[in-house]
Amino acid sequence: MAATRLPGTPRLLRALNDRAALDLLLTRGPLTRAQLGEMTGLSKVTASQLVERLEERGLVRRVGEQAGGRGPNAQLYAVTPGSAHVIGAEVGPDGVVAACADITGTVISRVEQSTKDTDDPVGVVHNAVVQAAGEAGADMSSVRRVVLGTPGLVDPQSGEISFAHDLPRWHRGLLADLRRDLNIPVFFGNDVNLAAVAESSTGAATGVTDFALVWIGRGVGLATVINGRLHQGATGAAGEIGYLPVGGAEVPHNASRRGVKGAFQAIAGADAVKAIGKQFGFRGAEAADVVRAAVAAGPAGEPVLDELARRLALGVAATCAVLDPPLVVLAGEVSRAGGPALADRVEREVAAITLVSPKVVVTGVASEPVLHGALRTALDAVRDEVFGSTTD
């Protein structure tokens, strides 16, 4: 009996080989045709055809030569940076910070736009995106995706945001308005979830498939990564740990109303951190300032860290008792200020009050994790689009 030929198989194999080669050029490039052949297992002829195909589509370019033995030098190839661009942004109550990256992941511009003197979110985002692209020297037609990191819930089905209490002008229907204005695919991402993306990509959770990230800053939040994927829940509310009922705080029965604090937020948010510091003689303009001063004070500041760790452990323990992750990352301004001294205390407290004992560490992302998570999210999607269409 003759073997059944699967339709489209050669095209599928070409697409898989192209994507493998492009990924190698991103992570290990520049490379010669021979090196690509060795790394992908392709013959010299097939590797040469692959490079020619990608070069014709403008996805790779020659960037130099590599001297060898006899014969002419081998051409070196790399991914063409300008073949596509993405823009990521972090949206807060005072402004928008946006950055533009090329498809290699190189960040080539960063801009800020104030939101204090306007009630037009579409205009603010428009200006930030256009300015970021302009300063990067990128034509708007090459910008393939914009990801905006915001507080609040992001519906996994519609992509709309809600309960963004810090952004009163940001409402349902805004996503369509932004897409219509920019004529570019625009997506919202929860800010803490995007911080977890950055942590997984370049921070303390690199290479870890299961972890929880607890954000302690002006507010408190949680992101969980399970089997390498963000868990958002049915409505996008997974991780709203500020509303976790905990002992020692009043549990509100009108949590969805603007201005209502959840129980865990009440005992571990910025106002609570300031109150803890004041109790032990430490004050600051921001909660992170209080914690930083306590750390710098040595033994005199230890009661502040002990009490804060005891409270944070209630939320961390509740999360870990359900999910049992091997790693918990403390992120946000307060967590960074507390550093290892705070993380170690939380780790001990969690182990003391539950049957789980995850490793607790401070964020490894140096700055602007939400912005970098937005860029990474946009890049992953655009690379799939651009690199997955090489045989169209």
Side-chain angles (χ1 to χ4, degrees):
M1 174 185 282
T4 302
R5 183 176 181 273
L6 295 177
T9 298
R11 182 180 178 185
L12 174 61
L13 289 175
R14 283 198 301 273
L16 293 173
N17 290 336
D18 288 353
R19 180 59 192 262
L22 287 164
D23 286 341
L24 283 168
L25 288 170
L26 279 174
T27 57
R28 302 180 64 176
L31 299 170
T32 66
R33 296 187 185 201
Q35 289 170 332
L36 276 173
E38 292 172 4
M39 293 179 184
T40 57
L42 299 174
S43 68
K44 290 183 179 180
V45 172
T46 303
S48 293
Q49 293 172 341
L50 178 153
V51 171
E52 289 173 4
R53 183 165 61 248
L54 297 179
E55 192 173 16
E56 288 173 1
R57 294 191 67 110
L59 295 178
V60 304
R61 63 177 184 173
R62 303 179 191 189
V63 294
E65 296 181 343
Q66 184 179 76
R70 297 177 180 177
N73 293 342
Q75 295 288 332
L76 285 166
Y77 294 87
V79 172
T80 305
S83 56
H85 294 87
V86 300
I87 290 176
E90 178 178 1
V91 182
D94 298 324
V96 176
V97 180
C100 180
D102 62 39
I103 200 165
T104 70
T106 301
V107 179
I108 43 183
S109 73
R110 179 188 177 281
V111 302
E112 297 184 27
Q113 289 281 333
S114 173
T115 57
K116 290 183 177 180
D117 299 324
T118 179
D119 59 0
D120 177 19
V122 173
V124 170
V125 173
H126 176 97
N127 291 339
V129 168
V130 171
Q131 186 180 351
E135 292 196 7
D139 191 276
M140 287 297 293
S141 62
S142 75
V143 178
R144 301 290 291 263
R145 181 171 293 231
V146 175
V147 173
L148 306 172
T150 74
L153 309 188
V154 179
D155 189 300
Q157 303 303 318
S158 68
E160 293 281 6
I161 59 171
S162 60
F163 298 106
H165 297 314
D166 284 346
L167 306 172
R169 300 292 180 179
W170 292 62
H171 51 76
R172 286 188 176 273
L174 179 59
L175 184 61
D177 292 341
L178 290 169
R179 289 173 173 173
R180 192 161 41 244
D181 174 74
L182 291 168
N183 196 30
I184 297 170
V186 179
F187 297 86
F188 291 129
N190 171 267
D191 49 5
V192 179
N193 281 346
L194 293 178
V197 171
E199 207 69 54
S200 180
S201 176
T202 61
T206 302
V208 181
T209 57
D210 296 83
F211 71 94
L213 180 142
V214 178
W215 182 277
I216 310 295
R218 187 175 64 256
V220 296
L222 169 73
T224 54
V225 173
I226 303 171
N227 292 329
R229 297 176 62 88
L230 273 171
H231 179 69
Q232 300 181 68
T235 64
E240 291 299 320
I241 197 174
Y243 296 97
L244 180 73
V246 292
E250 182 180 353
V251 178
H253 288 81
N254 53 352
S256 62
R257 289 181 56 187
R258 179 178 172 83
V260 174
K261 288 184 180 180
F264 187 58
Q265 168 76 23
I267 70 165
D271 290 342
V273 174
K274 287 184 179 180
I276 294 170
K278 184 178 180 181
Q279 178 185 350
F280 295 101
F282 292 90
R283 291 175 171 80
E286 304 293 339
D289 297 329
V290 173
V291 175
R292 196 174 295 110
V295 171
E302 289 183 356
V304 174
L305 300 179
D306 291 340
E307 177 60 18
L308 179 55
R310 184 189 68 79
R311 298 186 186 194
L312 292 179
L314 297 176
V316 174
T319 300
C320 294
V322 175
L323 299 177
D324 192 17
L327 177 69
V328 174
V329 179
L330 300 183
E333 300 88 352
V334 171
S335 298
R336 287 201 302 271
L342 179 61
D344 291 347
R345 284 171 166 81
V346 173
E347 181 175 311
R348 291 195 297 269
E349 286 286 337
V350 171
I353 62 176
T354 67
L355 297 179
V356 296
S357 53
K359 180 67 177 175
V360 180
V361 300
V362 180
T363 176
V365 180
S367 64
E368 299 185 317
V370 177
L371 178 63
H372 289 293
L375 285 170
R376 171 55 57 181
T377 300
L379 277 170
D380 287 346
V382 168
R383 285 171 179 171
D384 285 343
E385 293 172 3
V386 175
F387 294 170
S389 62
T390 58
T391 59
D392 290 348

